[in-house]
Amino acid sequence: MKIKNLLAVAALCLFSSHASAQCRDYNGIYFQYNPTIVGNFDKFYNLSESNFANGFTIGYVRSIPISSKIPFFLEVGGNVAWTFKYDSKQSVSLTSHLLSFDIPVNFGYSFGLGSDRLALNPYVGLRSRINAVAVGVLSSGNQSETYNYFDKNDVGGSDYTWNIFQLGIQAGVKFIINKHFIVEAGYTYDVIPFGKANARGDYMYPMSINFGFGFCW
């Protein structure tokens, strides 16, 4: 019985001590670097020696408190992401580009860090993605040709076209400094793939680590 009472007091102290440092009602803009493991973009030309791609994101976030007593919050917003990959072998190279629009929805908790100016906001959620542009530029010598990954005639049939819509799961944490600056790290895994990665029919399920910073008000 005493243990239960102590736990209850500890929980009350936790919520009360962090209440002044919660940071969960704000608007923000952010920038991210997204190193991504995405699979073999160039299944027809055998140029790739790595599954690694680079990505950059710029976005807007709105954090909304969902409880007056417990510092839970809901995050909504949107962003624009650009992912690219360069592969080469001898005199042939392939540069692939993906431009997408993401809609993340996250649920999290705001921890105070002993100061009215610092907070730690871990979150989990879902990310919907609309792939708008997906092209590859194949170059050999002075000649180049552009391929549309959404076009079945360019990728070898409708079975190999990339998906326009994807769904991913994500988790991460935001460090809020002085109620105006955001430093963020997270992880995203797509549960709906880009498309098939090679002639064997292996699917690409991209995963990325997200490093970013932002400003909130």
Side-chain angles (χ1 to χ4, degrees), residues 104-194:
V105 178
N106 298 315
F107 177 77
Y109 186 97
S110 184
F111 291 94
L113 298 179
S115 168
D116 287 341
R117 298 183 178 277
L118 299 175
L120 199 65
N121 291 11
Y123 63 85
V124 295
L126 297 174
R127 186 221 60 208
S128 299
R129 164 170 283 181
I130 302 296
N131 295 319
V133 178
V135 297
V137 180
L138 182 69
S139 300
S140 178
N142 296 324
Q143 297 181 337
S144 63
E145 188 171 0
T146 300
Y147 294 87
N148 182 351
Y149 291 121
F150 298 140
D151 188 336
K152 65 180 180 180
N153 296 319
D154 285 3
V155 297
S158 58
D159 287 342
Y160 296 98
T161 57
W162 284 13
N163 289 321
I164 294 177
F165 175 78
Q166 290 181 271
L167 182 68
I169 55 177
Q170 58 186 20
V173 61
K174 288 183 172 70
F175 184 41
I176 313 295
I177 305 170
N178 202 29
K179 298 184 179 181
H180 291 295
F181 301 98
I182 302 170
V183 180
E184 179 180 6
Y187 172 81
T188 302
Y189 178 80
D190 285 310
V191 296
I192 296 178
F194 270 151

Side-chain angles (χ1 to χ4, degrees), residues 3-216:
I3 294 177
K4 291 182 179 180
N5 291 335
L6 288 174
L7 290 175
V9 172
L12 181 61
C13 291
L14 173 68
F15 293 136
S16 61
S17 65
H18 292 309
S20 61
Q22 295 163 16
C23 191
R24 57 197 180 101
D25 185 4
Y26 60 84
N27 298 277
I29 57 173
Y30 60 90
F31 309 89
Q32 288 181 350
Y33 170 58
N34 315 113
T36 302
I37 302 298
V38 72
N40 187 359
F41 277 29
D42 59 322
K43 55 181 174 288
F44 301 113
Y45 308 107
N46 195 30
L47 300 176
S48 180
E49 296 180 356
S50 170
N51 292 332
F52 178 82
N54 288 287
F56 294 93
T57 298
I58 181 171
Y60 164 80
V61 63
R62 173 74 176 103
S63 180
I64 305 168
I66 57 176
S67 172
S68 60
K69 297 181 179 180
I70 302 176
F72 291 122
F73 61 87
L74 179 70
E75 276 191 346
V76 295
N79 63 58
V80 179
W82 172 48
T83 304
F84 67 95
K85 190 173 187 292
Y86 175 80
D87 296 294
S88 66
K89 185 175 291 186
Q90 297 178 351
S91 62
V92 181
S93 67
L94 178 69
T95 305
S96 298
H97 301 272
L98 175 70
L99 179 67
S100 58
F101 300 93
D102 298 348
I103 303 174
V105 178
N106 298 315
F107 177 77
Y109 186 97
S110 184
F111 291 94
L113 298 179
S115 168
D116 287 341
R117 298 183 178 277
L118 299 175
L120 199 65
N121 291 11
Y123 63 85
V124 295
L126 297 174
R127 186 221 60 208
S128 299
R129 164 170 283 181
I130 302 296
N131 295 319
V133 178
V135 297
V137 180
L138 182 69
S139 300
S140 178
N142 296 324
Q143 297 181 337
S144 63
E145 188 171 0
T146 300
Y147 294 87
N148 182 351
Y149 291 121
F150 298 140
D151 188 336
K152 65 180 180 180
N153 296 319
D154 285 3
V155 297
S158 58
D159 287 342
Y160 296 98
T161 57
W162 284 13
N163 289 321
I164 294 177
F165 175 78
Q166 290 181 271
L167 182 68
I169 55 177
Q170 58 186 20
V173 61
K174 288 183 172 70
F175 184 41
I176 313 295
I177 305 170
N178 202 29
K179 298 184 179 181
H180 291 295
F181 301 98
I182 302 170
V183 180
E184 179 180 6
Y187 172 81
T188 302
Y189 178 80
D190 285 310
V191 296
I192 296 178
F194 270 151
K196 291 182 179 179
N198 52 46
R200 296 194 306 271
D202 299 331
Y203 283 94
M204 294 185 288
Y205 292 92
M207 61 186 73
S208 66
I209 301 173
N210 312 314
F211 302 103
F213 67 94
F215 308 92
C216 58

